[in-house]
Amino acid sequence: TFKREELMQKVQMHMSERRFKHVLGVEETAIALAAKYGASEEKASIAALTHDYAKERPNEEFEMIILRDGYDQDLLNYGNAIWHGLVGASMVQRELGINDEEILEAIRLHTTGGAKMSLLDKIIYVADYIEPGRDFPGVKEARELALVDLDEAVAYETKHTLQHLIEKEQKIYPKTIETYNYWVVGKA
Ligand code: DGI
Ligand code: FE
Ligand code: FE
Ligand code: FE
């Protein structure tokens, strides 16, 4: 199918075995969700395979790109957790030649979500959270919700991720708050 084998190989080269296993779990989950909710399974596969492509890049590389390519300089106050998707999408585009804007946006939003999310964005955001390799309190409930109502799964993930970050006194990226306000508090 398309250039899946080639893409898999390029992705695998850039990460640990453990992370690659996670990526394959996200792909399997994203394809299943795409089938269930009527999104493109091919786009789900490509976005899932590449969502963490940049996760093991050094901070200096992200900082250089943020300084050079017109990103909001406030991004420099965050770290790999926020950079690897949002900025990593530009590496996926340049290095893997993926120019599909729907796929690139799903990669950009996969960690923080956003008030505005396409079906593909939601699928990747949720698949990343519930793939078979994930094991944390609440993952079972998240998996059940994903089979019933994708928006409910987005809300559940958002709320629990934010709770976890606050518990650990981590800096909250504004987009994460935006996602919480929209999907958890209300869409009004
Ligand atoms: O890359 P993964 O581990 O598969 O998962 P991810 O990209 O969804 O999340 C990466 C990390 O980012 C995870 O530990 C949660 C964290 N995160 C999500 N939103 C925020 C955040 N970290 C900070 N500091 N601030 C956020 O707003
Ligand atoms: Fe990630
Ligand atoms: Fe995630
Ligand atoms: Fe991931």
Side-chain angles (χ1 to χ4, degrees), residues 22 26 51-52 84 110 128 134:
H22 159 71
V26 175
H51 83 282
D52 278 338
H84 79 278
H110 89 264
D128 187 35
R134 295 289 200 200

